[in-house]
Amino acid sequence: MALTTTSATAPTMATTHRPSLRGDRHLFSASDDAIVMKQIQGTHTPDGRDFDVKPLMRVVEDGLRRASPTAVITQHASVELLEDKGHQVESIELLSFTIHRIASEISYKCSGSGNDAHATTVGILHLLSTFDWDAKVVLVMAALANNYGQFGLTAQLHAVNPLAKSIATLKQLPELLEHIEVLRPRLDAVNNLIKALIDVTWCIIEFKELPPEPMGAETPEMQVALTHIPTAVYWTIRSIIACESQITGLIGLGHDYISATTEAWELSSLAHKVNNIQGHLTKQLDHCRRNIKEKQHWEAFQALERLFDTTHIDNMKILRALFYSKDEHPLIDGVTKKRVSVELLRRKIVMLFISDLDISHEELFVLVQIYNETHHGGQALERRYEVVWLPIIDRHHPWDLTKEERYNRLASDMPWYYPNNPSMIDPAVVRYVRQAWRFDKKPLMVVLDPQGKVVCPNALHMMWIWGSLAFPFTSIREEALWKEEIWRLDLLVDEIDPAIVQAIRDERYICLYGGEDVNWIKQFTSLLRRIAQEVRIPLEMVYVGKSNPKERIKKVINMISTEKLSGYWQDTAMVWFFWVRLESMLHSKMQLHDKSYGIPRHNHNHGAIVPGNYGHSAIVPGNPGHGAIVPGNPHSGHEVPNGLENDQILLEVMSLLSYDSGGHPWAVIAHGSLDLVRYDGRKLLECLGQFETWKDRVEFEGFLPALRGALEPYHTHEHCTRLILPGDAGRIKERVVCAECKKPMEKFVLYQCCND
């Protein structure tokens, strides 16, 4: 059967003698012009029928890769091929006649003396006019696999199979194979072109599989792709015809033709062109996929927003959206280490522990202790709330073995629920957590009520301050707890150190001090101990270090231990917890004042500009960095909200954090729980050095009242206070007053990588 083409479908072009392509060389640049593309588009009249071409293409690819005449077929390879069940194609019965017809047509055209490659290509496109572009190219590739496979199979088996030997003799293949080394460049060119054809065909198939609705045909990326796919199909079929011409030309030809090298160059040129087309389509495919993902993520993000804005009868829809609804058992029970369903959390208070993989040992250790006190202590039968870890993984970096090991180590220490596979957390969930709940680096504890409604955006502050007493961890409960609090030593140290708790009950004098100035520590502890002995008061001194305790603080602790200067907390988790509770008090108090006085909050994404450093010419850091100090926006002209300057707990906490941020030594001296004196360490040391001038007042007033009076002259208006907060300080309002003079503070940004 022959395909006929009229002059209307075949533009004037040079014809060639079989099987050379040199006469069509000008088409490498001319065939993509508007006239030829219009001609190609004119052959395309699909009837709407569709079928999955991937199974057929897998068979085609396997056949073409095995069809090289120089391949060696072993008995093992033959058995493997016969037992391969992956070659089942459901639609092959319907398509086999079309494939045979195309294969015959190509063989016939390539055997003629005036093969016109362009006309043959257009004729094939007419024959396949009712098929989609991906089906066209796969069917022609199947025809190539049929013809090239017969040629390769005969060449491979002619030495071991009598039938193959007879056919090879008829085709004069023995003479051909005798000159295999001379022929190898030509065969390599054919195989290289076939590899390029396979790659570009799969690329065309992948375009067809793009979901149509999220993209839409009107998008620029898809418009470009739709323009270039017909060109890719045309050149793929043109190249298939060139391969077939080479295969046909090898049969029955003499040594002169075998030794020719021009045809190998022609095939290499075609391979280069096909590879360029495939590269261009791949870029467009990547653009389309990226846009599809972005749109899908955005739609999923909006769906998640609507879900959280909707009232539900229970929390199942929320939890399934957060933890991959397609998996029936997406969570692991931290106690039994068995996979479980989110159904176990139905209508329970769920606290989402949100973090990355860089959770500090101290943070996790203390949180586990608080959790165990509730779930494995006297209240264990109540199971009043459940904690679920929601890990936020940076998807810009691949999930590798190191991350997996880190994740497994963290999960092994968690007694609560956590995802079986953190990579299954939907990107829309990650986006929602970062944008709606403003997660950046610092962990959060988002509380969901039994209906899945967010009742507290971050309960970690409450947990650090009050532990399980803060149940049910709502913002209302937080406000109620603060109304019951006063500034006292119990609030400052909680139950971090049982010895301090007992000393408070015994009405002993207690001194907590911090900083890292070794000379000051030696002088202060020695002088205060001598004064305590002189006035005969029972005194306990405890060194509480600095926030972010590192190697320098460990060295100070070792010095205090060696020289027996005072008590200390050897466990850095205790030091960390002391300071994180102070920071939590500041955050919690500030948020309450924001709410009370209607001061707008600003979302400082990623902590790049973070408010809340407190001091006249204060330093306010955002993201950790290298110590660069950058001025921010001064607020010297703003009014101070009423009540902020009268909140004693807030001002005391700010003062302690300011001492720590500025690197100043400090001390709190208390008698019992309620009578406290807090002061800058250097001024306090200077005042204690003048003890002889005010010691007579101790007998009549008591030690702390006398000390308080002696410190009065040291109050000055000249000061520079700074308060450095962690990276989530963007949750705090921008107007902050100095704890010393009550004036609004200037804001700066500090980038700091490590205190050591």
Side-chain angles (χ1 to χ4, degrees), residues 376-666:
H376 302 292
Q379 309 174 49
L381 296 178
E382 298 182 31
R383 299 289 290 188
R384 298 187 296 175
Y385 67 91
E386 298 290 354
V387 176
V388 184
W389 184 26
L390 179 56
I392 303 300
I393 309 300
D394 186 358
R395 294 179 179 270
H396 293 93
H397 297 87
W399 180 260
D400 54 21
L401 183 60
T402 301
K403 287 186 177 181
E404 185 174 357
E405 291 176 350
R406 175 67 174 164
Y407 176 82
N408 291 334
R409 283 197 302 270
L410 289 171
S412 65
D413 293 332
M414 293 181 179
W416 46 74
Y417 299 102
Y418 54 88
N420 171 56
N421 185 353
S423 63
M424 297 305 294
I425 301 296
D426 194 273
V429 173
V430 176
R431 182 174 185 173
Y432 186 85
V433 168
R434 292 191 182 278
Q435 293 188 12
W437 296 338
R438 294 188 289 184
F439 170 77
D440 181 18
K441 181 69 178 175
K442 299 287 288 185
L444 302 177
M445 187 74 80
V446 177
V447 183
L448 308 179
D449 70 5
Q451 288 71 46
K453 179 183 177 182
V454 176
V455 291
C456 183
N458 187 11
L460 273 183
H461 302 321
M462 278 188 278
M463 296 193 75
W464 298 147
I465 301 169
W466 296 290
S468 58
L469 185 64
F471 180 86
F473 307 104
T474 64
S475 299
I476 295 175
R477 176 60 175 163
E478 182 179 23
E479 188 172 358
L481 287 170
W482 275 125
K483 288 181 179 179
E484 300 172 2
E485 285 290 358
I486 59 174
W487 180 243
R488 55 194 174 92
L489 193 59
D490 304 70
L491 176 64
L492 185 59
V493 298
D494 192 50
E495 296 183 359
I496 298 175
D497 188 343
I500 294 180
V501 175
Q502 187 59 46
I504 293 174
R505 294 171 183 162
D506 296 341
E507 294 291 322
R508 297 171 64 84
Y509 284 84
I510 301 167
C511 175
L512 304 180
Y513 70 96
E516 56 183 343
D517 187 333
V518 174
N519 292 330
W520 178 89
I521 291 173
K522 291 180 178 180
Q523 295 177 50
F524 173 74
T525 54
S526 175
L527 182 56
L528 185 59
R529 184 183 295 109
R530 181 177 61 80
I531 292 174
Q533 292 172 351
E534 185 173 342
V535 299
R536 298 179 181 180
I537 59 173
L539 176 68
E540 298 287 345
M541 285 189 291
V542 179
Y543 176 68
V544 298
K546 277 178 61 70
S547 61
N548 192 23
K550 297 293 183 180
E551 293 302 319
R552 288 187 296 182
I553 300 304
K554 291 180 181 179
K555 292 179 181 178
V556 174
I557 290 175
N558 290 335
M559 182 271 296
I560 293 173
S561 173
T562 302
E563 301 186 18
K564 296 181 173 56
L565 300 179
S566 72
Y568 57 90
W569 292 336
Q570 190 170 13
D571 188 351
T572 55
M574 298 171 67
V575 177
W576 173 88
F577 192 38
F578 175 83
W579 288 103
V580 82
R581 288 185 74 254
L582 286 176
E583 291 178 359
S584 297
M585 292 178 197
L586 177 66
H587 281 270
S588 179
K589 276 284 187 178
M590 283 295 188
Q591 289 176 12
L592 285 179
H593 280 283
D594 285 358
K595 179 180 178 182
S596 299
Y597 298 104
I599 299 174
R601 301 181 193 175
H602 298 264
N603 183 4
H604 297 269
N605 292 329
H606 313 298
I609 300 178
V610 181
N613 284 13
Y614 313 88
H616 226 48
S617 301
I619 299 177
V620 181
N623 291 350
H626 238 76
I629 300 176
V630 184
N633 296 325
H635 300 282
S636 57
H638 294 165
E639 295 181 1
V640 178
N642 293 330
L644 189 63
E645 72 276 17
N646 296 322
D647 189 328
Q648 185 187 8
I649 295 178
L650 176 60
L651 295 178
E652 292 290 346
V653 168
M654 287 171 57
S655 296
L656 290 174
L657 292 174
S658 297
Y659 296 147
D660 182 70
S661 299
H664 299 295
W666 59 272

Side-chain angles (χ1 to χ4, degrees), residues 291-335:
N291 287 346
I292 289 173
K293 282 188 176 181
E294 289 176 358
K295 188 166 184 179
Q296 289 174 337
H297 291 169
W298 173 244
E299 291 176 350
F301 173 79
Q302 290 180 312
L304 206 55
E305 282 187 318
R306 291 191 295 270
L307 198 61
F308 274 100
D309 289 338
T310 304
T311 302
H312 306 279
I313 60 173
D314 59 32
N315 53 6
M316 283 297 94
K317 287 185 178 180
I318 295 291
L319 294 178
R320 288 196 183 103
L322 293 175
F323 296 102
Y324 193 59
S325 60
K326 296 180 181 179
D327 191 338
E328 293 184 3
H329 300 89
L331 301 177
I332 292 180
D333 187 323
V335 177

